[in-house]
């Protein structure tokens, strides 16, 4: 099965709400979102060789920092996994970024996980199958 796989280093940023700033313009409520999307986009561009316009399965594993005071095994606090997923999918499917997926509606299967870092590396592991 053909696939595309890449890792994006950084602190994953969720795509939450947007706010209206006037004159029909809206911006992300989180000021770090655009930089995170751009980081994913750059890595996708380095890896992809063509625009995917076929049904795909996507695996996303978000690796987040573990605060020193945290002893729980699973990352059961914010950011929400659905908002992390939205940011990642938009980064690879919107024309304003590196569009390696024609549209996120081509995603037929999605697996997403969020984990605490074990070795200090944070970011997202992205794998697409078609």
């Amino acid at each position: 099965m053909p696939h595309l796989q890449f890792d994006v280093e950084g602190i994953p940023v969720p795509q939450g709400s947007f706010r209206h700033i006037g004159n029909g313009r809206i911006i992300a409520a989180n000021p770090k979102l655009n930089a995170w999307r751009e980081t994913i986009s750059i890595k996708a561009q380095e890896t992809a060789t063509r625009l995917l316009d076929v049904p795909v399965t996507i695996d996303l594993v978000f690796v987040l920092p573990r605060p020193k005071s945290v002893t729980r095994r699973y990352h059961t606090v914010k950011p929400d996994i659905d908002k992390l997923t939205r940011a990642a999918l938009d980064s690879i499917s919107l024309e304003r970024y590196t569009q390696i997926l024609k549209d996120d509606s081509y995603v037929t299967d999605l697996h997403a996980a969020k984990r605490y870092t074990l070795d200090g590396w944070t970011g997202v592991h992205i794998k697409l199958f078609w």
Side-chain angles (χ1 to χ4, degrees):
M1 174 179 275
H3 73 276
L4 174 67
Q5 179 176 337
F6 56 99
D7 298 330
V8 183
E9 189 170 0
I11 304 293
V13 177
Q15 179 174 316
S17 302
F18 287 85
R19 60 187 175 101
H20 185 266
I21 59 170
N23 295 328
R25 294 180 31 220
I26 59 169
I27 61 170
N30 188 335
K32 297 177 183 178
L33 177 62
N34 286 337
W36 174 240
R37 280 181 172 176
E38 190 63 35
T39 301
I40 294 173
S41 174
I42 290 167
K43 194 66 172 184
Q45 183 178 11
E46 293 171 358
T47 310
T49 57
R50 68 181 184 102
L51 176 67
L52 297 173
D53 61 353
V54 295
V56 298
T57 296
I58 297 183
D59 289 341
L60 300 167
V61 179
F62 298 95
V63 183
L64 299 152
R66 178 192 297 270
K68 291 181 181 182
S69 62
V70 170
T71 58
R72 67 183 163 272
R73 180 176 176 191
Y74 294 103
H75 193 292
T76 56
V77 296
K78 291 184 178 194
D80 297 348
I81 199 166
D82 59 320
K83 293 179 180 180
L84 290 168
T85 300
R86 249 188 304 167
L89 291 179
D90 282 355
S91 299
I92 62 172
S93 65
L94 292 179
E95 287 183 32
R96 68 185 259 191
Y97 298 102
T98 300
Q99 187 180 24
I100 65 168
L101 183 62
K102 186 170 183 174
D103 190 89
D104 56 11
S105 65
Y106 281 82
V107 178
T108 58
D109 295 275
L110 174 66
H111 175 261
K114 60 180 184 173
R115 304 285 184 256
Y116 283 121
T117 184
L118 298 175
D119 59 7
W121 187 91
T122 59
V124 60
H125 303 288
I126 300 175
K127 193 166 189 179
L128 295 88
F129 302 89
W130 62 95

